[in-house]
Amino acid sequence: MAVLPIRITGDPVLHTPAEPVTSFDEELRTLVADMYDTMAAAPGVGLAGPQVGVPLRLFVFDWTDEEGERHRGEAINPVLWISPAPIAEADEDEDSEGCLSIPGERFPLLRSERALLRATDLEGRDYEIEAEGWLARIFQHEYDHLNGVLYADRLEYPYARTLAKTIKKRSWGGPGQKWMPGVDDLEG
């Protein structure tokens, strides 16, 4: 398949709610396969349609937990329920999160510990996953993308301010900006 360019924060497709997927056809299969390739090349553990410039409600994920169990799939037209987020300070190590649309940056963000994902796969089958910990975080992060929300939008002071300065310094924040995994080095 192919590696796709990833949109950078500021591109309107990242800040607009995505539309439902209505056609489960070969074009969708190709897009999902390309998204898996792009996510692997980046590298990342999740990637949403808007991140590759496609304003559709779908994301892919691929993560192996501490016990060696692989969690991989596509979530098409997902619905996500989450437990209440803890009331605490985000831990800089345990709660550190990054985003392929804000490459090279990581900041602590509290997320709900548990989530229930209901979605459809490429075969049109509905499924449900109860997730905890890091997998729940991945689902919340990718689901936010489908609603036009980046993790940066959820950061608190002083992290939000630091990231805003970084975005300005890198001249990000406008339409059409993107990077190509495996080609562009945007780390740090």
Side-chain angles (χ1 to χ4, degrees), residues 3 41-42 179-186:
V3 174
W179 69 283
M180 182 60 89
V183 176
D184 298 323
D185 178 18
L186 295 179

Side-chain angles (χ1 to χ4, degrees), residues 132-178:
E132 293 186 11
W134 197 253
L135 186 59
R137 178 180 293 272
I138 293 167
F139 290 166
Q140 291 168 74
H141 181 106
E142 300 310 326
Y143 190 77
D144 273 353
H145 276 298
L146 305 183
N147 294 321
V149 177
L150 272 68
Y151 93 108
D153 300 326
R154 297 190 179 279
L155 292 176
E156 295 185 2
Y157 182 84
Y159 307 111
R161 179 180 167 99
T162 301
L163 183 55
K165 287 181 178 181
T166 300
I167 290 169
K168 184 176 181 179
K169 178 181 174 187
R170 294 186 178 189
S171 300
W172 292 345
Q177 295 178 313
K178 53 193 167 198

Side-chain angles (χ1 to χ4, degrees), residues 8-175:
I8 294 176
T9 185
D11 192 294
V13 73
L14 293 172
H15 305 282
T16 305
E19 296 294 323
V21 172
T22 57
S23 296
F24 288 73
D25 55 13
E26 194 56 38
E27 187 175 331
L28 180 65
R29 289 181 182 289
T30 299
L31 172 62
V32 168
D34 291 348
M35 288 174 65
Y36 279 121
D37 289 347
T38 303
M39 177 178 58
V45 294
L47 185 69
Q51 290 183 276
V52 293
V54 179
L56 292 176
R57 296 191 70 79
L58 73 118
F59 66 82
V60 297
F61 58 95
D62 192 351
W63 174 71
T64 302
D65 64 26
E66 298 79 26
E67 288 78 40
E69 183 178 348
R70 188 175 188 192
H71 305 271
R72 185 177 196 269
E74 60 274 350
I76 301 169
N77 297 328
V79 177
L80 189 71
W81 286 273
I82 59 173
S83 63
I87 299 174
E89 294 266 335
D91 181 272
E92 290 197 21
D93 294 320
E94 294 295 317
D95 299 314
S96 181
E97 190 168 315
C99 179
L100 297 177
S101 291
I102 309 173
E105 301 301 321
R106 293 187 70 79
F107 292 95
L109 175 65
L110 281 177
R111 293 276 192 181
S112 298
E113 181 61 27
R114 293 186 316 275
L116 174 65
L117 175 71
R118 288 188 178 151
T120 303
D121 67 15
L122 270 176
E123 305 307 318
R125 295 179 299 235
D126 294 336
Y127 69 89
E128 180 176 293
I129 298 174
E130 290 184 41
E132 293 186 11
W134 197 253
L135 186 59
R137 178 180 293 272
I138 293 167
F139 290 166
Q140 291 168 74
H141 181 106
E142 300 310 326
Y143 190 77
D144 273 353
H145 276 298
L146 305 183
N147 294 321
V149 177
L150 272 68
Y151 93 108
D153 300 326
R154 297 190 179 279
L155 292 176
E156 295 185 2
Y157 182 84
Y159 307 111
R161 179 180 167 99
T162 301
L163 183 55
K165 287 181 178 181
T166 300
I167 290 169
K168 184 176 181 179
K169 178 181 174 187
R170 294 186 178 189
S171 300
W172 292 345

